[in-house]
Amino acid sequence: MIRLALLLALVPLRAIAHPHIFIDAGFEIVTDEEGNLTGIRTTWDYDEFYSLMILEDMGLDRDYDSVLNTAEQAALNGFDMKWVEGFNGDLVATLDGEPLRLTGPLETTAALREGRIVTTHLRKVIGAPELTGHILMLKPYDPTYYTAYEVTLPVTVPGREGCLIESIPPEIDSALANMQQKLSTLDPSMNPEDAGLPDIGADFATEVEIQCPAS
């Protein structure tokens, strides 16, 4: 995240689209006894500055000790789960290249840890396809690049042994060049967010590949 922020600061792009929220992400792959993919549990660990903004806006942790009482905990839970219709949860999930259909967020949690808000949510996989012998790809990103995701937290498949998990980082230099090319087509006075640039955040997204062989 720091390297990306420095690169963006050094590149002389006019009206550059840049992230305002930074999230460390992690995933738990949920399977049933038959090895079918039933859900994806996502963890979002928000940066300290955005966490502070949320806490102040909601009037929580007024003593700044990073400890929430029961009422504050209840108020915080779900603050980021009010998704508009059609929102994909900033996650593209595919199985063997085919998009997975996911429910909205379930079993939500929220906590405050050392000044950072950490939330989790479960999304069930509609149809519960077989995971064994197939390739699951997860790509967390915000198409507008207002939020930047990095997969720095664990990616696990509880109850399964031998699963291969690989994080594929973005090609930063290529991504920056691609962004430059897209922005060069805009009028100098136009904000990239207002120009409807499609999937600009995808260029900076990490992909996670998960393969679970037959036991």
Side-chain angles (χ1 to χ4, degrees):
M1 185 181 301
I2 294 176
R3 177 171 178 263
L4 177 57
L6 288 173
L7 281 169
L8 289 175
L10 292 172
V11 175
L13 299 180
R14 57 176 175 76
I16 187 170
H18 62 280
H20 296 72
I21 303 170
F22 297 89
I23 294 178
D24 291 331
F27 299 98
E28 177 187 311
I29 309 307
V30 183
T31 60
D32 60 18
E33 294 181 356
E34 287 73 41
N36 298 317
L37 176 61
T38 60
I40 300 171
R41 193 183 306 276
T42 299
T43 299
W44 288 341
D45 188 339
Y46 291 89
D47 68 83
E48 292 182 358
F49 181 69
Y50 183 72
S51 296
L52 179 61
M53 289 179 58
I54 291 297
L55 294 171
E56 290 187 346
D57 185 61
M58 298 182 68
L60 305 177
D61 192 34
R62 293 182 181 275
D63 55 4
Y64 303 103
D65 65 351
S66 291
V67 177
L68 301 181
N69 60 37
T70 301
E72 290 176 319
Q73 189 80 44
L76 184 63
N77 190 8
F79 85 93
D80 55 350
M81 298 296 150
K82 300 175 178 65
W83 298 359
V84 299
E85 185 176 355
F87 178 56
N88 72 346
D90 282 349
L91 176 64
V92 172
T94 63
L95 193 66
D96 294 338
E98 294 296 321
L100 292 172
R101 292 190 300 144
L102 307 176
T103 67
L106 305 168
E107 300 180 14
T108 63
T109 71
L112 181 59
R113 300 172 186 167
E114 299 181 352
R116 297 179 60 147
I117 296 173
V118 182
T119 71
T120 70
H121 61 275
L122 172 69
R123 300 181 69 187
K124 292 185 177 180
V125 179
I126 297 173
E130 183 178 3
L131 178 61
T132 302
H134 300 276
I135 299 176
L136 172 64
M137 298 291 295
L138 303 178
K139 189 171 184 176
Y141 73 95
D142 171 10
T144 68
Y145 203 42
Y146 190 88
T147 301
Y149 294 86
E150 279 206 54
V151 185
T152 60
L153 304 181
V155 178
T156 62
V157 189
R160 297 293 303 270
E161 296 183 359
C163 292
L164 303 176
I165 301 173
E166 179 183 5
S167 282
I168 306 170
E171 294 288 343
I172 296 296
D173 292 340
S174 175
L176 286 170
N178 188 33
M179 180 183 284
Q180 281 181 312
Q181 191 280 325
K182 291 177 179 178
L183 292 175
S184 68
T185 64
L186 301 183
D187 182 278
S189 63
M190 181 174 292
N191 189 317
E193 295 178 7
D194 298 331
L197 288 177
D199 260 10
I200 198 169
D203 295 332
F204 296 96
T206 295
E207 290 186 285
V208 181
E209 180 178 289
I210 300 144
Q211 298 186 63
C212 293
S215 57

